[in-house]
Amino acid sequence: MDSLASATESMAMEVGFDKQSIKRESSPEPDSSPPSPKVSPKWNPLEACRPSLDDAPIFYPTNEDFEDPLAYIEKLRSKAESFGICRIVPPVAWTPPCPLKEKEIWEKSKFPTRIQLIDLLQNREPIKKSTNSKKRKRRIISKTGYSRRRRDSDCDAEEKFGFETGPDFTLEELQKYDEDFKESYFQVEDGSKASENKKFKPKVKDIEGEYWRIVEQPTDEVEVYYGADLETKKFGSGFPKHSPGSAQSLEVEQYTKSGWNLNNLSRLPGSVLAFESCDISGVIVPWLYVGMCFSTFCWHVEDHHLYSLNYLHTGDPKVWYGIPGHHAASFENALKKRLPDLFKEQPDLLHQLVTQLSPRILKEEGVSVYRAVQRSGEFILTFPKAYHSGFNCGFNCAEAVNVAPVDWLVYGQNAVEGYSKQRRKTSLSHDKLLLGAALEAIRSLRELAVSRKKTPVIARWKKVCSEDGMLTKAVKRRVETEAERLNELGDSFSVVKMEGDFDIKRERECFMCFYDLHMSASSCKCSPNRFACLTHAKNLCSCESKERFILLRYTLVELRSLVRALEGDPDAIEAWAQNGRGQSPLQQQRAKEALDLKGTSCPKSRGSSKAHQQDAAINRLSQSVELLKSGSLVVKKLWCSKQAIYSKGFKSRVKFLSVLDPTKLTNYISEVLDAGLLGPLFRVSLEEHPSENFSNVSAEKCWQMVIQRLKLEIIKKCDEPASSLTSLQHLDSINGLDMFGFLSPHVIQALEALDPTHQLEEYWNQRRAKVFGVEQTKEGEKDDTEKVGVSDPSMDRDTRLLRGLLKKATPEELAMMHGLLCGETRNTELQEELSSLVDKMEKSP
C-alpha cells in the first residue's frame, strides 16, 4: 500500500496535483461538512496587476428622487449610459432590514455553491487539447476535498469548460470559510502576519491587484466557491416581503412596499415587464448571490439586453467592470481575437459566463472599460447591452433583478432578432411586452381624454407616445418588420385569426430559430401543433400552399391603427377602446374566468349545476360585509324603511369583483351620507380608488349602478357579445341592501342598538309584524327608500319631486347637489329657490 501511495504521489506531482487532489476525484466529502481552506502563503503586493481604469459615475439621490425608481433611472440615463454601469448610493435614512440575518436563516439554511478555478478563467486551453497535453506544475492554493475537473472519458469532444458543483453552506459557514481563506492568503512572504494582535485586512486595491495577477499570470491554482443564481422564492429574499396573516411595523412595511425593494421593481408602473404574467426566476423574481474572496461573475450581458439592478445587502465590497452598450461589438471581437481556440470549440462561449478577459487587454483592443466598487447598502445599475463582470473582495450577499423601462424596447427588439439568427431560445415574449405596453398607453390616453385627469401613471405613458415617442417608434418599427415579412410570403398562405389564448397555457416558438410567436405564426394542416415564424414559414414542410396558413393576432390594418392611436389619433384611440381591444389576450382570458372565480372559461349555458356554483360564489362574496362605522340615528322620514335603518355616517366594507378589472377582487366602501332635504344619500366607492364611486338616493339602485358597470367591463374584456354570456344574469341576484350590510345579522344588531326606544316606527312596526307571523312587505317589493316619495302624501311636494329628479342624476350631479343642500350655504333663501325650480319643472311638458 505504501509503494502504491508513493507512486500515486509521484504521478500527481508530475501533472501538477498532489495526492490529496487525486483523493478528491474518488472520495468527495459529504455536503454536510463544509471544508476548511488550506492555503499556502504566497501573496506578494509587488506582483499586483491592478488595471488602470476610470471610475463609473456615482449618484446620490435625494429622498424625493428616491420615491420613484423608474423616474430616477430615466433621469440618470443620459449621464450614465455611456459608461455601461453606475453606482447608486441611497439616502442615509434608507436602511432596509435584511431577513437573511435572522438566526433561522443565517445559521441553518443551506445553499449550493459552484467551484470556480480563478486561474483558468482567462488562460486555459480548449478541452480537446488540454486532455491530450501535459499539464504544467502548479502549487495548490486551496485544498478543499472536492472534485474539480471530473471528465467523462467517453465524451471529451462534447465537453465544455464550466463550474463544478461545490459543497452546501449556510451563510454563517461561508463567512467563516472566507475569513480563514483571506487570513491565510494575504500574508507577507516570510509568513508572519502584519500584526500579532490585529488581523491584516487587505484593501480593495490589494485584492483587485492580486485577482488580476491570478487571472493574467497564473502560477498557482486558486479555487473558491460562489453561491450564485439562488432563487429567492426558495431560499428567501434579502428584502422584507409581505406574508399573509403576519403583521409588520410601519417601518418595515415602507421597505416591503418600496419600489427599490427588488421584489417589486420589475413590475412597477412604467416597466414593460409588468405585462409578463409568469414569475420568471432571475428576471422578474430576484436571484441571490453569496460570494467569497475572488469569487467571480464573468463577462456577460443580461438576457434580452435588459437593465439590471444589484443591491449589496451585507459583507465585503464587489468590484465591477462595465463596458458601454455601443462598445458591445468591439468587446465581442476582442474576446474572439484573444481567445480564438476557445471560441472555435464553444461558439456560444459568451453565453456561458465562464470566461474573463483582463480590462488591460480590452483597453489595448480599443474597448472602453469602467470600474465601480459597490459597498454594502449600495446599488449597481447596468444598462441595456452593457457587458459587465467583476469579483467579490470577501464574503458578501447581494440580490439582483431585471427591469425594463420603455426605452429598453428598442434594445429588446434587437436582442430577439439576434437570438433568432443565433438559433437561441428566448427567456420571455418581447412582442407580448410590446403590445401590452401599447394597449396600456392607449387606455391611458383615452382616460386622459375622457376625465382630463393627468395622474402620474397617465403622464408617464403620455410621455412615450406621440409621433416621436419612444413607445410609438418601437411599435411602428415592429409593425414595419411584420409587414415586410408578410409581403415576402405573398399570397401563398391563407390567413387565420389567432385565438386569444394561443400562447397563454404554453410557449409558442419557431421550430427552427425559437423566435417567439405571440404576434404571428405559420403552420400547416399536416402538423397542426408545429409552428414557424414568418421568416421560416416556407421551411416548415413541403405541403402545397393550400394546406398551409398564417395565424395573426392582429391584421396589418389593425396594427397600423394601433400606431395611429399611439400617435394621438382620437378616432383610433376610441376604436381600440370601443372594440374591446384595450386589453391583452391574457386579460381577456382572465375576464372570461372572472364570474365563477375558479379559473374556468367565459361561462355560457352549461346547465343548472354550473349556475348554482356561480350563484353560490357570488353569495359568499356578498355575505362577508365588514361594519366599519355604525353612524348616528336620524329620526326623520326616509332614514329608515320596513327593511332597514339608515344611520347617518354609516360605513361598511365588502369584497367584490372590481369594476376596473373584473379579473380581480377589490374592497368597496358603502356609506350613508346626509343629503339634507333629500334624506339619506347612498354612496359606494372603491377603497383603493375613491374617485370611482356611485351615488343614489336608493341603496339598491346604488349597487345596481355598480353591477351595470361591472357587466360592461366583463363584456368588453371577454370580447364576446352579451347574449353569449348568459351567466351575467347571476349578477342580477345581487341585493343592494345586502351589499351595504343592512341584512347582515351583526349589522342589524348594531343599527337597532342606536334606537333603543323604537323611535323609527315604520321599521319597528315591520319587525313586530314579523315576530307575530304577519308579513307586511309584499313579495318582490323594492327598497322602501325607492318607492317612498313617489306617492307618499306625508312628504312635501318639493322633496318628492327632487328625489324623483335625482334618481336620474349622474354621480357628479348628485355630489354637487349634496354640497348645495348640506353645506354651509343651506338656508331659507336656497330652499325658496329650489321650490321655484320645482314649480318650473312641474309646468314644463
Side-chain angles (χ1 to χ4, degrees):
M1 292 295 292
D2 290 343
S3 61
L4 177 61
S6 177
T8 302
E9 181 175 359
S10 299
M11 191 188 325
M13 290 295 290
E14 181 180 353
V15 297
F17 295 94
D18 66 6
K19 61 183 177 183
Q20 184 163 345
S21 295
I22 301 295
K23 180 182 177 182
R24 287 188 306 198
E25 293 288 343
S26 58
S27 57
E29 296 177 13
D31 289 349
S32 59
S33 55
S36 298
K38 298 177 182 179
V39 182
S40 302
K42 65 173 208 31
W43 177 56
N44 183 354
L46 299 178
E47 297 178 354
C49 294
R50 184 171 185 260
S52 176
L53 301 173
D54 291 332
D55 290 332
I58 308 172
F59 297 92
Y60 298 87
T62 63
N63 288 325
E64 183 179 356
D65 289 332
F66 212 63
E67 290 178 0
D68 188 338
L70 293 184
Y72 188 65
I73 290 173
E74 181 182 2
K75 179 179 178 180
L76 59 79
R77 182 166 64 94
S78 61
K79 303 174 184 177
E81 189 172 18
S82 59
F83 295 86
I85 62 173
C86 69
R87 182 155 62 110
I88 301 174
V89 181
V92 176
W94 201 79
T95 55
C98 183
L100 300 177
K101 294 181 180 179
E102 296 174 3
K103 185 175 181 179
E104 192 66 24
I105 298 178
W106 190 266
E107 298 180 6
K108 298 180 181 179
S109 294
K110 294 269 190 177
F111 58 88
T113 62
R114 302 170 183 173
I115 300 172
Q116 293 187 323
L117 313 177
I118 306 303
D119 54 301
L120 295 184
L121 293 179
Q122 177 177 304
N123 290 281
R124 66 176 184 273
E125 296 175 335
I127 299 298
K128 289 182 183 179
K129 187 175 180 180
S130 64
T131 55
N132 297 323
S133 62
K134 187 175 180 179
K135 298 182 179 67
R136 67 184 184 280
K137 292 184 179 181
R138 318 168 71 200
R139 275 189 296 162
I140 304 300
I141 301 304
S142 177
K143 301 178 182 178
T144 64
Y146 281 81
S147 172
R148 298 182 291 115
R149 299 176 190 162
R150 195 169 293 142
R151 302 294 183 203
D152 185 345
S153 58
D154 294 331
C155 56
D156 279 349
E158 301 296 326
E159 287 190 15
K160 297 180 179 180
F161 176 82
F163 301 139
E164 299 284 350
T165 300
D168 290 350
F169 284 89
T170 65
L171 292 166
E172 182 181 51
E173 288 168 348
L174 189 59
Q175 184 180 39
K176 178 64 168 60
Y177 183 94
D178 175 73
E179 289 174 355
D180 294 344
F181 177 89
K182 288 174 70 174
E183 182 181 353
S184 299
Y185 194 101
F186 289 96
Q187 297 177 10
V188 293
E189 286 188 328
D190 61 6
S192 64
K193 303 214 177 56
S195 170
E196 292 296 329
N197 300 321
K198 185 177 180 181
K199 293 181 180 179
F200 173 68
K201 292 185 178 180
K203 297 178 181 179
V204 171
K205 66 178 182 180
D206 296 326
I207 300 173
E208 184 182 19
E210 176 62 11
Y211 173 82
W212 286 111
R213 183 201 67 78
I214 299 169
V215 173
E216 288 195 69
Q217 304 170 11
T219 57
D220 306 296
E221 186 177 89
V222 179
E223 180 181 281
V224 298
Y225 299 124
Y226 197 13
D229 302 345
L230 305 178
E231 297 186 33
T232 54
K233 275 196 169 183
K234 294 181 179 179
F235 188 79
S237 171
F239 288 100
K241 297 172 68 176
H242 176 70
S243 299
S246 64
Q248 290 182 327
S249 66
L250 291 176
E251 182 180 0
V252 173
E253 188 175 2
Q254 69 168 322
Y255 294 110
T256 301
K257 295 180 178 180
S258 171
W260 293 93
N261 181 328
L262 298 191
N263 295 290
N264 305 327
L265 180 71
S266 291
R267 289 189 169 127
L268 288 178
S271 170
V272 300
L273 288 177
F275 305 106
E276 173 53 65
S277 59
C278 297
D279 291 337
I280 304 172
S281 186
V283 177
I284 290 175
V285 179
W287 272 349
L288 277 177
Y289 298 85
V290 186
M292 65 168 286
C293 186
F294 297 145
S295 59
T296 301
F297 46 106
C298 296
W299 287 113
H300 68 285
V301 68
E302 296 297 308
D303 282 353
H304 290 260
H305 300 169
L306 289 158
Y307 283 82
S308 75
L309 194 65
N310 181 294
Y311 181 75
L312 188 56
H313 289 291
T314 187
D316 293 334
K318 282 180 179 284
V319 179
W320 291 70
Y321 304 98
I323 295 172
H326 62 273
H327 273 218
S330 299
F331 165 77
E332 293 168 1
N333 291 333
L335 212 62
K336 292 173 183 177
K337 175 183 176 181
R338 294 290 183 141
L339 306 171
D341 292 340
L342 295 183
F343 269 94
K344 184 177 180 180
E345 184 174 71
Q346 279 184 260
D348 63 343
L349 187 65
L350 281 170
H351 302 151
Q352 303 303 317
L353 281 77
V354 294
T355 304
Q356 283 287 67
L357 191 62
S358 169
R360 177 188 61 79
I361 296 175
L362 291 172
K363 287 183 67 179
E364 290 176 0
E365 296 293 335
V367 180
S368 297
V369 186
Y370 300 93
R371 175 198 292 115
V373 179
Q374 179 191 23
R375 292 178 168 80
S376 181
E378 298 177 352
F379 290 95
I380 290 289
L381 177 70
T382 73
F383 289 88
K385 206 179 178 180
Y387 277 95
H388 49 281
S389 73
F391 67 93
N392 299 297
C393 292
F395 171 81
N396 58 30
C397 183
E399 192 165 344
V401 79
N402 292 117
V403 67
V406 173
D407 66 85
W408 161 80
L409 285 169
V410 62
Y411 295 97
Q413 188 66 57
N414 290 337
V416 294
E417 298 301 335
Y419 292 168
S420 175
K421 294 176 182 177
Q422 299 164 8
R423 306 291 194 265
R424 180 183 173 188
K425 282 181 172 286
T426 59
S427 301
L428 46 80
S429 170
H430 182 85
D431 284 341
K432 183 194 294 184
L433 304 186
L434 180 68
L435 291 174
L439 296 173
E440 183 65 27
I442 290 173
R443 280 194 292 273
S444 293
L445 291 176
R446 184 172 186 269
E447 186 176 341
L448 178 62
V450 172
S451 68
R452 300 295 177 182
K453 293 179 181 179
K454 196 172 184 179
T455 65
V457 173
I458 290 178
R460 192 192 298 275
W461 287 113
K462 188 176 187 303
K463 186 176 181 181
V464 297
C465 294
S466 77
E467 290 188 18
D468 296 325
M470 289 184 290
L471 177 58
T472 307
K473 288 181 176 179
V475 174
K476 190 173 184 178
R477 176 191 170 195
R478 179 67 183 92
V479 172
E480 290 172 351
T481 302
E482 190 79 349
E484 291 172 2
R485 291 170 179 170
L486 286 170
N487 287 336
E488 288 176 4
L489 292 176
D491 299 326
S492 56
F493 290 74
S494 59
V495 176
V496 179
K497 182 71 174 178
M498 180 184 287
E499 293 292 333
D501 61 355
F502 174 69
D503 59 348
I504 287 180
K505 295 182 179 179
R506 57 178 295 184
E507 293 180 4
R508 301 289 190 179
E509 58 188 16
C510 176
F511 82 102
M512 190 169 183
C513 71
F514 306 113
Y515 196 85
D516 177 74
L517 304 178
H518 179 76
M519 185 177 286
S520 57
S522 64
S523 188
C524 181
K525 294 178 182 179
C526 73
S527 50
N529 293 318
R530 191 166 182 249
F531 301 94
C533 65
L534 298 185
T535 301
H536 298 115
K538 295 180 180 179
N539 303 102
L540 186 65
C541 64
S542 58
C543 295
E544 295 181 6
S545 297
K546 64 179 182 180
E547 301 295 320
R548 296 187 287 181
F549 56 91
I550 294 173
L551 296 168
L552 296 181
R553 186 171 296 276
Y554 299 116
T555 65
L556 283 178
V557 172
E558 290 173 321
L559 290 174
R560 285 166 179 152
S561 170
L562 183 69
V563 173
R564 291 198 303 275
L566 292 172
E567 291 174 340
D569 184 329
D571 293 335
I573 293 173
E574 192 62 25
W576 277 86
Q578 292 299 325
N579 291 338
R581 300 186 186 118
Q583 68 280 327
S584 69
L586 177 65
Q587 291 171 313
Q588 289 183 16
Q589 178 68 14
R590 287 179 174 173
K592 291 180 180 182
E593 298 169 354
L595 287 180
D596 61 4
L597 309 176
K598 291 184 179 180
T600 57
S601 61
C602 210
K604 301 183 181 182
S605 299
R606 297 184 184 177
S608 59
S609 175
K610 185 69 176 177
H612 177 75
Q613 292 175 7
Q614 290 168 339
D615 278 337
I618 289 175
N619 288 335
R620 283 196 299 273
L621 288 175
S622 61
Q623 288 169 4
S624 56
V625 178
E626 178 185 1
L627 179 63
L628 301 179
K629 190 183 296 185
S630 298
S632 58
L633 191 69
V634 178
V635 186
K636 289 183 181 179
K637 192 70 175 178
L638 304 178
W639 286 91
C640 77
S641 68
K642 294 175 181 179
Q643 296 166 287
I645 294 173
Y646 310 125
S647 56
K648 177 182 176 181
F650 172 91
K651 184 180 289 188
S652 65
R653 177 191 289 124
V654 67
K655 189 180 289 290
F656 199 65
L657 301 175
S658 171
V659 295
L660 298 180
D661 184 355
T663 67
K664 298 178 181 178
L665 296 176
T666 192
N667 286 324
Y668 288 84
I669 299 296
S670 300
E671 301 172 272
V672 180
L673 308 175
D674 183 3
L677 294 174
L678 302 178
L681 179 68
F682 301 89
R683 183 170 70 186
V684 176
S685 59
L686 275 70
E687 187 172 29
E688 294 183 356
H689 302 277
S691 61
E692 293 287 341
N693 59 75
F694 309 82
S695 301
N696 202 282
V697 291
S698 162
E700 287 199 337
K701 282 205 169 183
C702 193
W703 266 98
Q704 285 175 15
M705 294 165 70
V706 177
I707 298 303
Q708 186 61 29
R709 168 78 178 277
L710 187 60
K711 286 182 178 180
L712 292 174
E713 291 298 322
I714 291 175
I715 291 169
K716 183 196 301 183
K717 289 185 178 294
C718 284
D719 199 21
E720 293 187 23
S723 59
S724 69
L725 304 175
T726 57
S727 55
L728 285 178
Q729 298 168 5
H730 299 291
L731 291 173
D732 293 333
S733 65
I734 292 297
N735 185 312
L737 293 176
D738 200 10
M739 297 300 283
F740 264 80
F742 293 138
L743 304 184
S744 299
H746 68 289
V747 175
I748 292 174
Q749 184 178 1
L751 294 178
E752 288 183 347
L754 298 175
D755 188 16
T757 59
H758 296 192
Q759 299 178 73
L760 298 175
E761 294 182 0
E762 183 180 12
Y763 173 80
W764 289 109
N765 287 340
Q766 175 69 7
R767 290 285 284 172
R768 281 192 290 270
K770 285 185 177 181
V771 170
F772 289 101
V774 180
E775 182 63 46
Q776 294 184 356
T777 304
K778 295 180 181 178
E779 185 178 353
E781 183 172 296
K782 299 278 187 176
D783 176 10
D784 287 345
T785 59
E786 182 180 339
K787 300 191 85 174
V788 75
V790 176
S791 58
D792 190 344
S794 66
M795 185 181 299
D796 65 275
R797 175 184 62 100
D798 295 357
T799 302
R800 184 172 68 250
L801 286 172
L802 275 173
R803 286 183 65 81
L805 169 66
L806 294 184
K807 285 178 185 177
K808 304 175 182 179
T810 65
E812 292 77 14
E813 291 167 340
L814 279 171
M816 184 181 298
M817 188 62 71
H818 178 260
L820 287 172
L821 296 176
C822 306
E824 297 178 354
T825 59
R826 185 178 66 182
N827 51 37
T828 305
E829 183 177 336
L830 175 59
Q831 292 182 5
E832 291 175 356
E833 291 292 332
L834 287 172
S835 181
S836 175
L837 173 62
V838 171
D839 286 335
K840 293 180 181 179
M841 289 167 53
E842 278 194 319
K843 294 176 183 178
S844 62

